[in-house]
Amino acid sequence: MAQRTLEPGEIETLAQRDIPRIILPERGTLFPARAERLRALVEGNPIGGYLAMLALVVDAQQAELDGLTAVQLQALQQSALAQQPAAAADAGMPPLHAASVRRDAHWRVLLRSLCRRCAGHAGFPDAVGATLARVIEAPDDWLEGQADALLEVPGAPPVDVAAAPLVMAALQVYWLALGLAFRIEALAPMADAPGLCPLCGFQPVSSMVHAKAPHAAYRYLACGLCACQWHYVRVQCSRCGTAGKDIAYQSLTALDASADAIKAAPVRAETCEHCHGYRKILYEEFGPEVEPLADDLGTLALDILLGEQGYERASQNPLLWHPEQE
Ligand SMILES: [Zn+2]
Ligand SMILES: [Zn+2]
């Protein structure tokens, strides 16, 4: 049977129409899958101890999420949605903009409760125990300032690097809870800022090429805050938008492996010669268990390799802060 050949423009239009643009996280599975992946990455990892500890924090995140009653959840969502002026939605502003939403005080309840859960666990060293106690007892103002700092609110105080992963963990629970009010049909990647989360405006932690229908072979950026994923074309820098010959890929197998092995690495760095930045790209086809936040943390050696070559991380992992990043 004869078929008409599509012109490139037509192919693009068809592709745009058919690609599922948004993937939203599920309340019951995001954190458990992340915790399981963190645990799977512990053995032989230079920061294995940290990954094991974070897995406990992620368990606590799920416990906090499970602990929200339907009434609490609805109240949190309504208070955030009521702040969304129609004009902002029309202007393409993300509806749960991280730096603009006035957070309900309940996020601090989540934070202190999460810290108490962790404090009751034997898996944390003394230094972390001290940080947990410090966060539990910290004044509300200080916690709000720390949240502002992590969410890049202008004028925020410096980040407390020890407390940052805990504060961020609570913010992730809060934003995931808010995001549950949305359906994928209500969202689309932002035309003006395709590299930022269309739900909360935060930076992606990494990107992932999915292997399962209907997302197979498409690349999505994964939000470091609310865990929304949005479509982003492949072979294009998610930091500056440059595409084509300036984009290259590196993996930890690159130095001593065959080209086939490099192609089969489940985690690679997508580097850009235009902005000298990189972000990691995960391939579900080669690692069915990969998880955007966990696998980014689990491949710190790749960051070191790229740092030595002068490439800059496009954005940091929300659960790992270094003093020099203040
Ligand atoms: Zn987001
Ligand atoms: Zn770039």
Side-chain angles (χ1 to χ4, degrees), residues 220-278:
Y220 294 82
L221 298 178
C223 180
L225 180 62
C226 76
C228 171
Q229 294 191 26
W230 63 103
H231 177 251
Y232 194 85
V233 293
R234 289 170 72 165
V235 201
Q236 179 164 6
C237 175
S238 57
R239 186 199 207 191
C240 75
T242 294
K245 65 173 174 43
D246 281 335
I247 307 301
Y249 297 88
Q250 292 198 36
S251 74
L252 287 171
T253 54
L255 294 178
D256 54 3
S258 69
D260 282 350
I262 295 164
K263 271 191 93 177
V267 181
R268 291 170 232 175
E270 186 176 60
T271 60
C272 171
E273 290 310 316
H274 183 75
C275 71
H276 280 270
Y278 73 93

Short mmCIF file of all heavy atoms in Angstrom, two decimals, residues 220-278:
data_model
loop_
_atom_site.label_atom_id
_atom_site.label_comp_id
_atom_site.label_asym_id
_atom_site.label_seq_id
_atom_site.Cartn_x
_atom_site.Cartn_y
_atom_site.Cartn_z
N TYR A 220 12.21 13.45 29.44
CA TYR A 220 11.49 14.35 30.35
C TYR A 220 12.47 14.92 31.36
O TYR A 220 13.36 14.21 31.84
CB TYR A 220 10.37 13.59 31.09
CG TYR A 220 9.28 13.13 30.16
CD1 TYR A 220 9.42 11.95 29.41
CD2 TYR A 220 8.12 13.87 29.98
CE1 TYR A 220 8.44 11.54 28.52
CE2 TYR A 220 7.12 13.46 29.09
CZ TYR A 220 7.29 12.30 28.37
OH TYR A 220 6.32 11.89 27.48
N LEU A 221 12.28 16.19 31.68
CA LEU A 221 13.03 16.79 32.79
C LEU A 221 12.25 16.50 34.06
O LEU A 221 11.01 16.50 34.04
CB LEU A 221 13.18 18.30 32.59
CG LEU A 221 13.96 18.75 31.33
CD1 LEU A 221 13.98 20.28 31.24
CD2 LEU A 221 15.38 18.21 31.36
N ALA A 222 12.97 16.24 35.16
CA ALA A 222 12.31 15.85 36.42
C ALA A 222 12.54 16.92 37.48
O ALA A 222 13.68 17.22 37.83
CB ALA A 222 12.86 14.51 36.90
N CYS A 223 11.45 17.49 37.99
CA CYS A 223 11.55 18.58 38.97
C CYS A 223 12.17 18.09 40.28
O CYS A 223 11.80 17.05 40.80
CB CYS A 223 10.16 19.15 39.23
SG CYS A 223 10.19 20.50 40.44
N GLY A 224 13.08 18.89 40.81
CA GLY A 224 13.73 18.56 42.08
C GLY A 224 12.86 18.86 43.28
O GLY A 224 13.18 18.45 44.39
N LEU A 225 11.77 19.59 43.08
CA LEU A 225 10.91 19.93 44.21
C LEU A 225 9.62 19.11 44.19
O LEU A 225 9.40 18.30 45.08
CB LEU A 225 10.58 21.44 44.17
CG LEU A 225 9.68 21.95 45.29
CD1 LEU A 225 10.32 21.78 46.67
CD2 LEU A 225 9.33 23.43 45.07
N CYS A 226 8.78 19.28 43.18
CA CYS A 226 7.45 18.65 43.20
C CYS A 226 7.42 17.31 42.47
O CYS A 226 6.40 16.62 42.50
CB CYS A 226 6.41 19.60 42.61
SG CYS A 226 6.46 19.73 40.80
N ALA A 227 8.52 16.94 41.79
CA ALA A 227 8.65 15.65 41.10
C ALA A 227 7.81 15.52 39.83
O ALA A 227 7.68 14.44 39.27
CB ALA A 227 8.39 14.47 42.04
N CYS A 228 7.23 16.63 39.37
CA CYS A 228 6.58 16.63 38.06
C CYS A 228 7.66 16.38 37.00
O CYS A 228 8.81 16.78 37.15
CB CYS A 228 5.95 18.02 37.86
SG CYS A 228 5.29 18.33 36.21
N GLN A 229 7.28 15.69 35.91
CA GLN A 229 8.20 15.54 34.78
C GLN A 229 7.54 16.15 33.55
O GLN A 229 6.33 16.02 33.37
CB GLN A 229 8.51 14.06 34.52
CG GLN A 229 9.30 13.41 35.65
CD GLN A 229 9.84 12.03 35.28
OE1 GLN A 229 10.06 11.72 34.11
NE2 GLN A 229 10.04 11.19 36.28
N TRP A 230 8.34 16.83 32.75
CA TRP A 230 7.79 17.46 31.55
C TRP A 230 8.68 17.18 30.34
O TRP A 230 9.89 17.06 30.46
CB TRP A 230 7.55 18.95 31.74
CG TRP A 230 8.76 19.79 32.00
CD1 TRP A 230 9.40 20.60 31.11
CD2 TRP A 230 9.49 19.93 33.25
NE1 TRP A 230 10.47 21.22 31.72
CE2 TRP A 230 10.54 20.84 33.01
CE3 TRP A 230 9.35 19.37 34.53
CZ2 TRP A 230 11.45 21.20 34.01
CZ3 TRP A 230 10.26 19.73 35.52
CH2 TRP A 230 11.28 20.63 35.25
N HIS A 231 8.04 17.10 29.18
CA HIS A 231 8.75 16.73 27.97
C HIS A 231 9.76 17.80 27.56
O HIS A 231 9.48 19.00 27.62
CB HIS A 231 7.76 16.50 26.82
CG HIS A 231 8.44 16.17 25.53
ND1 HIS A 231 8.48 17.04 24.47
CD2 HIS A 231 9.16 15.08 25.16
CE1 HIS A 231 9.20 16.49 23.49
NE2 HIS A 231 9.61 15.32 23.88
N TYR A 232 10.93 17.35 27.15
CA TYR A 232 11.98 18.25 26.66
C TYR A 232 12.71 17.49 25.57
O TYR A 232 13.16 16.36 25.79
CB TYR A 232 12.93 18.60 27.80
CG TYR A 232 13.84 19.78 27.52
CD1 TYR A 232 13.42 21.09 27.73
CD2 TYR A 232 15.13 19.58 27.02
CE1 TYR A 232 14.25 22.17 27.48
CE2 TYR A 232 15.97 20.66 26.76
CZ TYR A 232 15.52 21.95 27.00
OH TYR A 232 16.35 23.02 26.75
N VAL A 233 12.82 18.09 24.38
CA VAL A 233 13.38 17.36 23.25
C VAL A 233 14.79 16.86 23.59
O VAL A 233 15.49 17.45 24.41
CB VAL A 233 13.42 18.19 21.94
CG1 VAL A 233 12.02 18.47 21.44
CG2 VAL A 233 14.22 19.45 22.14
N ARG A 234 15.19 15.79 22.93
CA ARG A 234 16.50 15.20 23.20
C ARG A 234 17.58 15.98 22.45
O ARG A 234 17.31 16.75 21.55
CB ARG A 234 16.48 13.72 22.79
CG ARG A 234 15.62 12.90 23.74
CD ARG A 234 15.36 11.49 23.26
NE ARG A 234 16.54 10.63 23.34
CZ ARG A 234 16.47 9.29 23.25
NH1 ARG A 234 15.30 8.70 23.08
NH2 ARG A 234 17.56 8.57 23.32
N VAL A 235 18.82 15.75 22.88
CA VAL A 235 19.99 16.42 22.30
C VAL A 235 19.82 17.94 22.30
O VAL A 235 20.01 18.63 21.30
CB VAL A 235 20.30 15.90 20.87
CG1 VAL A 235 21.76 16.21 20.52
CG2 VAL A 235 20.07 14.40 20.76
N GLN A 236 19.41 18.44 23.45
CA GLN A 236 19.27 19.88 23.64
C GLN A 236 19.62 20.20 25.09
O GLN A 236 19.15 19.52 26.01
CB GLN A 236 17.84 20.32 23.33
CG GLN A 236 17.64 21.82 23.53
CD GLN A 236 16.37 22.34 22.88
OE1 GLN A 236 15.56 21.57 22.36
NE2 GLN A 236 16.20 23.64 22.93
N CYS A 237 20.44 21.23 25.28
CA CYS A 237 20.86 21.62 26.63
C CYS A 237 19.65 22.13 27.41
O CYS A 237 18.97 23.04 26.96
CB CYS A 237 21.95 22.69 26.56
SG CYS A 237 22.45 23.33 28.18
N SER A 238 19.42 21.54 28.58
CA SER A 238 18.25 21.95 29.38
C SER A 238 18.57 23.20 30.20
O SER A 238 17.73 23.73 30.89
CB SER A 238 17.82 20.81 30.29
OG SER A 238 18.89 20.41 31.14
N ARG A 239 19.81 23.68 30.09
CA ARG A 239 20.18 24.88 30.82
C ARG A 239 20.07 26.11 29.92
O ARG A 239 19.49 27.11 30.31
CB ARG A 239 21.61 24.73 31.33
CG ARG A 239 22.07 25.84 32.24
CD ARG A 239 23.58 25.82 32.28
NE ARG A 239 24.15 26.36 33.50
CZ ARG A 239 25.43 26.62 33.63
NH1 ARG A 239 26.27 26.33 32.65
NH2 ARG A 239 25.90 27.13 34.73
N CYS A 240 20.64 26.02 28.69
CA CYS A 240 20.65 27.22 27.84
C CYS A 240 19.86 27.03 26.53
O CYS A 240 19.69 27.98 25.78
CB CYS A 240 22.08 27.65 27.54
SG CYS A 240 22.93 26.60 26.33
N GLY A 241 19.41 25.82 26.26
CA GLY A 241 18.57 25.60 25.08
C GLY A 241 19.33 25.29 23.80
O GLY A 241 18.74 25.02 22.77
N THR A 242 20.69 25.33 23.87
CA THR A 242 21.48 25.01 22.68
C THR A 242 21.23 23.56 22.26
O THR A 242 21.13 22.68 23.11
CB THR A 242 22.98 25.22 22.99
OG1 THR A 242 23.20 26.60 23.21
CG2 THR A 242 23.86 24.74 21.85
N ALA A 243 21.14 23.34 20.95
CA ALA A 243 20.92 21.98 20.44
C ALA A 243 21.98 21.63 19.42
O ALA A 243 22.72 22.50 18.95
CB ALA A 243 19.53 21.89 19.81
N GLY A 244 22.07 20.34 19.10
CA GLY A 244 22.91 19.91 17.99
C GLY A 244 24.33 19.59 18.36
O GLY A 244 24.59 18.94 19.37
N LYS A 245 25.30 20.09 17.58
CA LYS A 245 26.68 19.61 17.68
C LYS A 245 27.38 20.01 18.98
O LYS A 245 28.41 19.43 19.32
CB LYS A 245 27.48 20.09 16.47
CG LYS A 245 27.65 21.59 16.40
CD LYS A 245 28.59 21.99 15.29
CE LYS A 245 28.68 23.50 15.09
NZ LYS A 245 28.76 24.33 16.30
N ASP A 246 26.84 21.00 19.69
CA ASP A 246 27.47 21.39 20.96
C ASP A 246 27.12 20.43 22.10
O ASP A 246 27.66 20.54 23.21
CB ASP A 246 27.03 22.80 21.37
CG ASP A 246 27.79 23.87 20.60
OD1 ASP A 246 28.91 23.57 20.15
OD2 ASP A 246 27.25 24.98 20.44
N ILE A 247 26.22 19.52 21.85
CA ILE A 247 25.76 18.61 22.90
C ILE A 247 26.49 17.27 22.78
O ILE A 247 26.60 16.70 21.70
CB ILE A 247 24.23 18.36 22.78
CG1 ILE A 247 23.47 19.70 22.74
CG2 ILE A 247 23.73 17.47 23.91
CD1 ILE A 247 23.69 20.59 23.94
N ALA A 248 27.02 16.80 23.92
CA ALA A 248 27.72 15.51 23.93
C ALA A 248 27.35 14.75 25.20
O ALA A 248 26.72 15.30 26.09
CB ALA A 248 29.22 15.74 23.86
N TYR A 249 27.77 13.48 25.24
CA TYR A 249 27.39 12.63 26.37
C TYR A 249 28.60 11.96 26.97
O TYR A 249 29.50 11.53 26.26
CB TYR A 249 26.36 11.58 25.90
CG TYR A 249 25.10 12.27 25.44
CD1 TYR A 249 24.97 12.70 24.12
CD2 TYR A 249 24.10 12.59 26.35
CE1 TYR A 249 23.85 13.40 23.70
CE2 TYR A 249 22.97 13.29 25.94
CZ TYR A 249 22.85 13.69 24.62
OH TYR A 249 21.76 14.41 24.23
N GLN A 250 28.62 11.88 28.29
CA GLN A 250 29.71 11.19 28.97
C GLN A 250 29.12 10.29 30.04
O GLN A 250 28.10 10.63 30.64
CB GLN A 250 30.63 12.20 29.66
CG GLN A 250 31.41 13.06 28.70
CD GLN A 250 32.60 13.72 29.36
OE1 GLN A 250 33.24 13.14 30.23
NE2 GLN A 250 32.89 14.93 28.95
N SER A 251 29.80 9.17 30.25
CA SER A 251 29.37 8.30 31.34
C SER A 251 30.60 7.83 32.08
O SER A 251 31.72 8.06 31.66
CB SER A 251 28.59 7.11 30.79
OG SER A 251 29.48 6.20 30.19
N LEU A 252 30.39 7.16 33.20
CA LEU A 252 31.51 6.68 34.01
C LEU A 252 32.25 5.54 33.33
O LEU A 252 33.36 5.22 33.70
CB LEU A 252 31.02 6.24 35.39
CG LEU A 252 30.63 7.41 36.29
CD1 LEU A 252 29.96 6.91 37.55
CD2 LEU A 252 31.86 8.25 36.64
N THR A 253 31.62 4.95 32.33
CA THR A 253 32.30 3.86 31.62
C THR A 253 33.16 4.41 30.48
O THR A 253 33.87 3.67 29.84
CB THR A 253 31.27 2.89 31.00
OG1 THR A 253 30.38 3.66 30.21
CG2 THR A 253 30.51 2.13 32.06
N ALA A 254 33.12 5.73 30.27
CA ALA A 254 33.71 6.30 29.06
C ALA A 254 35.21 6.04 28.91
O ALA A 254 35.70 5.91 27.80
CB ALA A 254 33.46 7.80 29.02
N LEU A 255 35.93 6.00 30.04
CA LEU A 255 37.38 5.94 29.94
C LEU A 255 37.91 4.58 29.47
O LEU A 255 38.89 4.51 28.77
CB LEU A 255 38.01 6.30 31.29
CG LEU A 255 37.76 7.76 31.72
CD1 LEU A 255 38.38 8.02 33.08
CD2 LEU A 255 38.33 8.73 30.68
N ASP A 256 37.22 3.52 29.87
CA ASP A 256 37.81 2.20 29.58
C ASP A 256 36.83 1.27 28.87
O ASP A 256 37.02 0.07 28.84
CB ASP A 256 38.28 1.55 30.89
CG ASP A 256 37.16 1.50 31.92
OD1 ASP A 256 36.04 1.92 31.61
OD2 ASP A 256 37.44 1.05 33.04
N ALA A 257 35.78 1.80 28.29
CA ALA A 257 34.77 0.92 27.73
C ALA A 257 34.62 1.11 26.23
O ALA A 257 35.07 2.09 25.65
CB ALA A 257 33.44 1.20 28.41
N SER A 258 34.01 0.13 25.63
CA SER A 258 33.73 0.20 24.19
C SER A 258 32.58 1.19 23.95
O SER A 258 31.87 1.57 24.88
CB SER A 258 33.31 -1.17 23.70
OG SER A 258 32.04 -1.49 24.25
N ALA A 259 32.44 1.60 22.69
CA ALA A 259 31.37 2.54 22.35
C ALA A 259 30.00 1.96 22.71
O ALA A 259 29.11 2.67 23.16
CB ALA A 259 31.43 2.88 20.86
N ASP A 260 29.85 0.65 22.54
CA ASP A 260 28.58 0.01 22.87
C ASP A 260 28.27 0.12 24.36
O ASP A 260 27.14 0.34 24.76
CB ASP A 260 28.59 -1.47 22.46
CG ASP A 260 28.37 -1.61 20.96
OD1 ASP A 260 28.02 -0.59 20.32
OD2 ASP A 260 28.56 -2.73 20.44
N ALA A 261 29.32 -0.06 25.17
CA ALA A 261 29.11 0.01 26.62
C ALA A 261 28.71 1.42 27.03
O ALA A 261 27.87 1.62 27.90
CB ALA A 261 30.38 -0.42 27.35
N ILE A 262 29.33 2.43 26.39
CA ILE A 262 28.98 3.82 26.70
C ILE A 262 27.52 4.07 26.36
O ILE A 262 26.78 4.67 27.11
CB ILE A 262 29.89 4.79 25.92
CG1 ILE A 262 31.33 4.65 26.39
CG2 ILE A 262 29.42 6.23 26.10
CD1 ILE A 262 32.35 5.25 25.46
N LYS A 263 27.12 3.52 25.20
CA LYS A 263 25.73 3.71 24.77
C LYS A 263 24.74 3.02 25.69
O LYS A 263 23.57 3.39 25.73
CB LYS A 263 25.54 3.17 23.34
CG LYS A 263 25.82 4.21 22.27
CD LYS A 263 25.37 3.75 20.92
CE LYS A 263 23.95 4.21 20.60
NZ LYS A 263 23.52 3.83 19.26
N ALA A 264 25.21 2.00 26.42
CA ALA A 264 24.30 1.26 27.29
C ALA A 264 24.36 1.71 28.74
O ALA A 264 23.74 1.11 29.61
CB ALA A 264 24.60 -0.23 27.19
N ALA A 265 25.10 2.79 29.04
CA ALA A 265 25.18 3.27 30.42
C ALA A 265 23.84 3.88 30.81
O ALA A 265 23.32 4.72 30.09
CB ALA A 265 26.29 4.30 30.55
N PRO A 266 23.28 3.47 31.94
CA PRO A 266 21.95 3.99 32.31
C PRO A 266 21.97 5.45 32.77
O PRO A 266 20.94 6.10 32.75
CB PRO A 266 21.50 3.06 33.44
CG PRO A 266 22.73 2.41 33.94
CD PRO A 266 23.74 2.41 32.83
N VAL A 267 23.14 5.95 33.20
CA VAL A 267 23.23 7.36 33.60
C VAL A 267 24.36 8.01 32.83
O VAL A 267 25.50 7.56 32.88
CB VAL A 267 23.50 7.51 35.11
CG1 VAL A 267 23.56 8.99 35.49
CG2 VAL A 267 22.44 6.79 35.93
N ARG A 268 24.06 9.06 32.10
CA ARG A 268 25.08 9.81 31.37
C ARG A 268 24.94 11.28 31.72
O ARG A 268 23.92 11.70 32.28
CB ARG A 268 24.89 9.66 29.86
CG ARG A 268 25.20 8.26 29.34
CD ARG A 268 24.77 8.07 27.91
NE ARG A 268 23.94 6.87 27.80
CZ ARG A 268 23.32 6.47 26.69
NH1 ARG A 268 23.42 7.19 25.59
NH2 ARG A 268 22.59 5.39 26.69
N ALA A 269 25.96 12.04 31.38
CA ALA A 269 25.87 13.49 31.54
C ALA A 269 25.70 14.08 30.16
O ALA A 269 26.42 13.70 29.23
CB ALA A 269 27.12 14.03 32.20
N GLU A 270 24.75 14.98 30.01
CA GLU A 270 24.56 15.68 28.75
C GLU A 270 25.29 17.02 28.88
O GLU A 270 24.86 17.87 29.65
CB GLU A 270 23.06 15.88 28.50
CG GLU A 270 22.74 16.47 27.14
CD GLU A 270 21.23 16.57 26.91
OE1 GLU A 270 20.54 17.25 27.70
OE2 GLU A 270 20.74 15.95 25.95
N THR A 271 26.40 17.14 28.17
CA THR A 271 27.21 18.34 28.31
C THR A 271 26.93 19.31 27.16
O THR A 271 26.51 18.90 26.08
CB THR A 271 28.72 18.00 28.30
OG1 THR A 271 29.03 17.36 27.05
CG2 THR A 271 29.08 17.10 29.46
N CYS A 272 27.19 20.59 27.43
CA CYS A 272 26.91 21.62 26.43
C CYS A 272 28.16 22.49 26.27
O CYS A 272 28.68 23.02 27.24
CB CYS A 272 25.74 22.46 26.92
SG CYS A 272 25.43 23.93 25.91
N GLU A 273 28.65 22.59 25.05
CA GLU A 273 29.84 23.40 24.79
C GLU A 273 29.50 24.88 24.75
O GLU A 273 30.39 25.73 24.77
CB GLU A 273 30.50 22.98 23.48
CG GLU A 273 31.16 21.61 23.52
CD GLU A 273 32.08 21.43 24.72
OE1 GLU A 273 32.86 22.35 25.03
OE2 GLU A 273 32.00 20.37 25.38
N HIS A 274 28.23 25.21 24.64
CA HIS A 274 27.85 26.63 24.58
C HIS A 274 27.91 27.27 25.97
O HIS A 274 28.53 28.30 26.15
CB HIS A 274 26.46 26.78 23.97
CG HIS A 274 26.03 28.20 23.82
ND1 HIS A 274 26.53 29.02 22.83
CD2 HIS A 274 25.19 28.96 24.55
CE1 HIS A 274 26.00 30.22 22.96
NE2 HIS A 274 25.19 30.21 23.99
N CYS A 275 27.27 26.62 26.96
CA CYS A 275 27.24 27.21 28.32
C CYS A 275 28.18 26.49 29.28
O CYS A 275 28.31 26.87 30.44
CB CYS A 275 25.81 27.22 28.87
SG CYS A 275 25.15 25.59 29.31
N HIS A 276 28.85 25.42 28.80
CA HIS A 276 29.74 24.61 29.63
C HIS A 276 29.04 24.07 30.87
O HIS A 276 29.64 23.95 31.94
CB HIS A 276 31.02 25.37 29.99
CG HIS A 276 32.00 25.32 28.85
ND1 HIS A 276 32.94 24.34 28.73
CD2 HIS A 276 32.11 26.10 27.76
CE1 HIS A 276 33.61 24.52 27.60
NE2 HIS A 276 33.12 25.59 26.99
N GLY A 277 27.76 23.76 30.71
CA GLY A 277 27.00 23.15 31.79
C GLY A 277 26.66 21.72 31.43
O GLY A 277 26.93 21.25 30.32
N TYR A 278 26.13 21.01 32.41
CA TYR A 278 25.66 19.65 32.15
C TYR A 278 24.55 19.31 33.12
O TYR A 278 24.41 19.91 34.18
CB TYR A 278 26.78 18.62 32.27
CG TYR A 278 27.23 18.36 33.70
CD1 TYR A 278 26.66 17.32 34.45
CD2 TYR A 278 28.16 19.17 34.32
CE1 TYR A 278 27.05 17.09 35.77
CE2 TYR A 278 28.55 18.95 35.62
CZ TYR A 278 27.99 17.91 36.35
OH TYR A 278 28.37 17.70 37.65
#
